[in-house]
Amino acid sequence: MEAGEQAKANILIVDDTPANLMALEAVLEPLGQRLVKASSGPEALMHLLREDFACILLDVQMPGMDGFETARLIKSIERTRHIPLLFITALSREEAYARRGYSEGAVDFIVKPVDPDILLAKVKAFVDLHGQLEALRRQRKRADMERQLFFALVENSSDFIGIADAEGRPIYVNPAGRRMVGLECPPEDTQLPEYYAPEARAQAEGEILPTMVKEGHWAGETLFRHFKTGAAIPVSDTHFTIREAQTGTVLGYGTITRDITERKRADAERERLLREVEAAHARLRRLFEHAPAIVISLRGPEHIVEMVNPLAQRIIASERSLVGLSLKEALPEMVKQGFIGLLDGVYRTGQPFIGREMVGRSDWRRVGRWEDAFFTFVYQPRHDAQGQVEGIDIFGFDVTEQVHARQEAEVLTQELRHAVQARDNFLSVASHELKTPLTPLSLKLQSLTRAQATPSSSITLEGKDLEVIRRQVKRLSDLINSLLDVSRISTGQLKLDIQPVDLSALARDMVERFAPMAERAGCTLELETDRAVMGRWDPLRLEQVITNLLSNALKYGAGKPVHLRVEAEPGRALLIIRDEGIGIAPEVMSRIFRKFERGVSDRNYGGLGLGLYVARELVEAMGGHLKATSAPNAGATFTVELPLGAAAPR
């Protein structure tokens, strides 16, 4: 059946005579409906169980199950009891006969012979009525379906959907709404304002509900309350009046409400982040404005200036703002100096460029003339969402003053090297010149000592005088030798004679040699060693190391014992010299091994401050290490660590 075409109604004709069936069919054919024929009561009942009919034309006089019995069965079935039934009979319409027919459910009697027009009019009336009932039934079915769909939609909605009666008493709240406000079902004897949080009650009673009653609608944000916890729930609320369609009578009120807690939280978080971003932008802007660096942001292949900070503007020495201008047009001198070409390369390749101490000409000091300036900078490409270069950011520093300072420092360093070289040359020459007269003086002193020992000698010098002269000559010789060693170390001319050495035996010899000096200092020398400690070193240089360390210990630990200990460990030998003297202050420890450095004032202790420097250099030249530990008034300990095997001379 096509759209708009009305379905044909079924009309059931029941008669045991085929001629009568054909006659009735001919009369009813103009109605254009579907005619179903049955020749007996049972056959009619079979049709009625399978199909719906607009009306039934039933012959009374039929063999077996007559019309009255068939009518009684039809009316006893729920499906067929409401179908209009017209009796067709050849008998007269006596009152008793008619009363029986009506009692069996007939709506009319038609007496044979049938008047076609009357029959057609009556059947047409029942067909029309059937059509109207069918239309009403379809409407009711559609309305029921729509109501079920709407109810399912409301029941499954995630929003609060509620209905109140005309007095404002809630009569329905959907499951999501009940969960939102913590209700199992709408409480009895409550009013709409009770659904609002206390802080929103005034809004509900003063604005929301009056507006809904007066204007029929209110929408906005407010606060519901949770009936169990009392917590306020931020909601987006829509209220509306429900009216009877024809009369406009108020039937009740509806509300559709959405929990916007998460949205409010997201809004608050977004506002917080926005404030943080704005604060960060402000900080970046302040940093940009006051940064001690050149900051320029360029856009596009023409290098249009988007941002330039004040320092960059000053260094570029332009009186006009560069923002919005092409860099190559605003500053053509940058083309000649090669900077624009570098920018073009970065924009083309997408690779950053780092320039270090590159020269550019600018009136960077604002003295009215252009001068060379030095810049260290980076051209950093900036990419769009597709990965294409959209611009370049320039970060740089004016390092002119640093370059000039370094150049001056290099000149001073070179001059200092020359001065140090001159000093070392002087020390070398002076040492040799001092040693030249010292050699014959030493020989003469030895000769005088031998001559005085001869009985026939006429030399009247006291023995103690000769000893004083000998000690002073040795002291002068040691000072000169130290100066010579410093000169050799500084010029890389120090030479070693590596050979097998017993460190224990060497230590014993040195203790015996220093016994007179220790006695004069009021010290005792205590050596701890129980076996030979063999290694490959320079014995003379090793003697010099021990001499310098023992001299140091006797000088600063006078009057107290000085301890020596020789130890052997896997792969190395240790010589430890410890005094119990004045010790070394912590602030001095870091520099006691430098040239001409002293741990105490030279007013109380003499010397050039070279002994420890020379000792460390000699130890390191033999592949070892010299370290010191000390504390004020707790003495000092010097540890010489030497490899047992032959070390490559340094």
Side-chain angles (χ1 to χ4, degrees):
M1 183 178 65
E2 296 181 358
E5 182 180 353
Q6 187 174 0
K8 291 183 178 181
N10 294 327
I11 300 173
L12 180 61
I13 306 171
V14 185
D15 198 306
D16 63 314
T17 304
N20 292 339
L21 289 175
M22 292 181 61
L24 290 172
E25 184 178 18
V27 171
L28 299 177
E29 185 177 3
L31 293 176
Q33 306 301 320
R34 178 170 174 265
L35 303 176
V36 178
K37 295 174 289 185
S39 58
S40 66
E43 185 181 357
L45 292 173
M46 291 297 297
H47 285 296
L48 288 168
L49 292 176
R50 289 196 298 263
E51 300 180 81
D52 292 328
F53 291 88
C55 63
I56 304 171
L57 278 69
L58 179 62
D59 183 27
V60 175
Q61 298 295 323
M62 290 188 298
M65 183 185 295
D66 63 9
F68 292 127
E69 185 177 357
T70 302
R72 185 170 61 254
L73 290 174
I74 291 173
K75 295 302 178 178
S76 67
I77 300 172
E78 181 63 27
R79 171 186 173 85
T80 59
R81 64 187 303 174
H82 299 293
I83 301 175
L85 195 153
L86 289 83
F87 278 124
I88 300 177
T89 178
L91 301 176
S92 62
R93 295 185 59 183
E94 296 180 356
E95 182 178 351
Y97 192 80
R99 189 163 46 248
R100 182 183 177 189
Y102 287 124
S103 67
E104 298 296 345
V107 296
D108 201 356
F109 268 91
I110 299 176
V111 180
K112 298 176 183 178
V114 176
D115 185 326
D117 294 332
I118 294 176
L119 178 62
L120 192 64
K122 289 184 176 183
V123 172
K124 182 178 184 303
F126 288 117
V127 169
D128 292 341
L129 179 61
H130 175 76
Q132 294 172 3
L133 291 174
E134 282 297 311
L136 184 61
R137 190 179 297 113
R138 286 194 299 271
Q139 290 177 0
R140 185 180 295 112
K141 183 178 181 180
R142 184 167 56 251
D144 289 342
M145 181 178 295
E146 290 175 353
R147 184 168 57 253
Q148 292 174 12
L149 292 175
F150 177 75
F151 186 73
L153 180 65
V154 170
E155 283 284 293
N156 292 280
S157 172
S158 60
D159 292 335
F160 179 110
I161 300 178
I163 298 174
D165 62 19
E167 283 71 39
R169 291 187 296 268
I171 58 176
Y172 170 79
V173 177
N174 70 338
R178 295 196 297 272
R179 288 192 299 270
M180 182 189 298
V181 297
L183 290 176
E184 297 298 329
C185 59
E188 297 180 358
D189 300 325
T190 60
Q191 297 292 323
L192 284 177
E194 297 180 44
Y195 279 73
Y196 292 87
E199 53 265 47
R201 190 71 58 80
Q203 180 191 19
E205 296 177 344
E207 175 191 349
I208 299 175
L209 300 179
T211 302
M212 177 182 65
V213 172
K214 181 179 179 181
E215 301 180 7
H217 183 271
W218 183 91
E221 293 184 2
T222 185
L223 295 173
F224 270 19
R225 76 178 177 98
H226 195 281
F227 279 81
K228 292 182 179 178
T229 66
I233 307 169
V235 296
S236 175
D237 196 16
T238 300
H239 281 288
F240 51 91
T241 302
I242 304 173
R243 298 180 182 275
E244 204 279 326
Q246 281 74 31
T247 65
T249 303
V250 174
L251 301 178
Y253 303 97
T255 179
I256 300 175
T257 303
R258 176 163 296 177
D259 185 342
I260 57 174
T261 302
E262 290 302 320
R263 196 194 79 188
K264 286 288 188 181
R265 186 177 293 117
D267 289 345
E269 179 66 13
R270 185 164 52 251
E271 290 177 3
R272 184 187 67 81
L273 292 176
L274 183 59
R275 289 193 299 270
E276 290 182 358
V277 169
E278 290 174 348
H281 283 172
R283 290 194 297 270
L284 287 175
R285 173 58 64 179
R286 290 194 297 271
L287 177 64
F288 176 77
E289 294 290 341
H290 300 95
I294 299 168
V295 184
I296 303 174
S297 183
L298 306 176
R299 171 175 46 82
E302 296 301 317
H303 313 308
I304 305 300
V305 179
E306 289 188 322
M307 292 191 303
V308 56
N309 71 337
L311 178 62
Q313 186 80 34
R314 181 179 65 81
I315 290 177
I316 291 172
S318 174
E319 298 297 334
R320 60 173 177 166
S321 174
L322 301 180
V323 176
L325 301 178
S326 169
L327 202 61
K328 63 178 67 175
E329 295 176 357
L331 302 170
E333 63 274 10
M334 293 187 67
V335 178
K336 299 176 183 178
Q337 297 179 43
F339 292 103
I340 299 299
L342 293 174
L343 285 170
D344 291 339
V346 171
Y347 193 90
R348 184 176 60 257
T349 64
Q351 297 298 316
F353 173 82
I354 300 176
R356 293 183 173 85
E357 298 182 359
M358 295 188 67
V359 181
R361 294 188 60 77
S362 169
D363 185 11
W364 60 284
R365 293 194 301 176
R366 293 299 179 96
V367 295
R369 66 178 182 275
W370 283 36
E371 298 176 309
D372 285 347
F374 294 87
F375 301 96
T376 293
F377 60 88
V378 58
Y379 289 163
Q380 183 66 45
R382 189 175 63 253
H383 299 82
D384 59 19
Q386 288 72 42
Q388 301 298 314
V389 177
E390 65 175 7
I392 299 173
D393 294 323
I394 302 174
F395 304 94
F397 296 91
D398 178 359
V399 294
T400 304
E401 294 183 359
Q402 293 91 319
V403 171
H404 288 169
R406 190 185 69 246
Q407 291 172 345
E408 293 175 2
E410 289 174 353
V411 172
L412 292 175
T413 301
Q414 189 62 32
E415 293 176 354
L416 181 60
R417 287 197 186 99
H418 291 318
V420 171
Q421 184 64 42
R423 184 203 63 190
D424 291 341
N425 292 339
F426 168 76
L427 288 175
S428 179
V429 172
S431 299
H432 282 91
E433 291 298 321
L434 289 171
K435 198 169 183 65
T436 298
L438 185 61
T439 300
L441 181 59
S442 298
L443 293 175
K444 184 63 176 176
L445 179 60
Q446 293 173 10
S447 176
L448 287 173
T449 302
R450 287 194 301 270
Q452 189 180 25
T454 303
S456 60
S457 172
S458 60
I459 299 174
T460 59
L461 289 173
E462 296 290 336
K464 62 180 181 179
D465 295 330
L466 287 174
E467 178 60 25
V468 170
I469 295 172
R470 189 187 64 77
R471 286 202 307 271
Q472 295 303 321
V473 169
K474 184 179 184 306
R475 181 182 178 192
L476 181 58
S477 177
D478 289 343
L479 291 175
I480 293 172
N481 286 334
S482 293
L483 290 173
L484 282 171
D485 285 338
V486 170
S487 177
R488 293 188 186 105
I489 291 170
S490 299
T491 58
Q493 297 178 1
L494 181 66
K495 292 182 173 51
L496 298 177
D497 180 16
I498 301 299
Q499 56 183 280
V501 178
D502 181 353
L503 184 58
S504 296
L506 181 61
R508 279 192 294 269
D509 290 345
M510 296 302 296
V511 168
E512 292 177 2
R513 193 180 306 174
F514 270 80
M517 184 183 298
E519 185 178 354
R520 287 193 298 273
C523 299
T524 58
L525 296 176
E526 300 176 0
L527 174 64
E528 297 179 30
T529 180
D530 56 357
R531 60 189 178 89
V533 178
M534 299 300 297
R536 292 182 58 77
W537 309 296
D538 184 327
L540 294 179
R541 294 301 183 185
L542 206 47
E543 283 183 9
Q544 190 174 353
V545 171
I546 299 175
T547 295
N548 291 357
L549 295 178
L550 279 178
S551 298
N552 213 57
L554 295 174
K555 181 192 300 185
Y556 298 110
K560 297 181 180 180
V562 175
H563 310 273
L564 288 81
R565 187 167 75 251
V566 179
E567 298 178 357
E569 294 183 354
R572 65 176 184 169
L574 299 178
L575 170 63
I576 304 168
I577 299 176
R578 179 173 62 87
D579 67 67
E580 300 177 12
I582 62 174
I584 305 171
E587 64 271 14
V588 180
M589 286 292 293
S590 62
R591 51 186 175 85
I592 60 173
F593 290 109
R594 298 177 187 172
K595 286 185 288 187
F596 307 109
E597 288 287 350
R598 301 166 52 79
V600 295
S601 171
D602 58 1
R603 291 183 179 180
N604 300 317
Y605 299 92
L608 296 177
L610 294 174
L612 292 179
Y613 167 74
V614 172
R616 188 188 65 174
E617 292 295 323
L618 293 177
V619 170
E620 291 183 353
M622 290 183 283
H625 301 284
L626 174 58
K627 59 184 179 180
T629 57
S630 179
N633 301 316
T637 301
F638 290 87
T639 302
V640 178
E641 179 184 324
L642 293 167
L644 296 179
R650 195 185 62 173

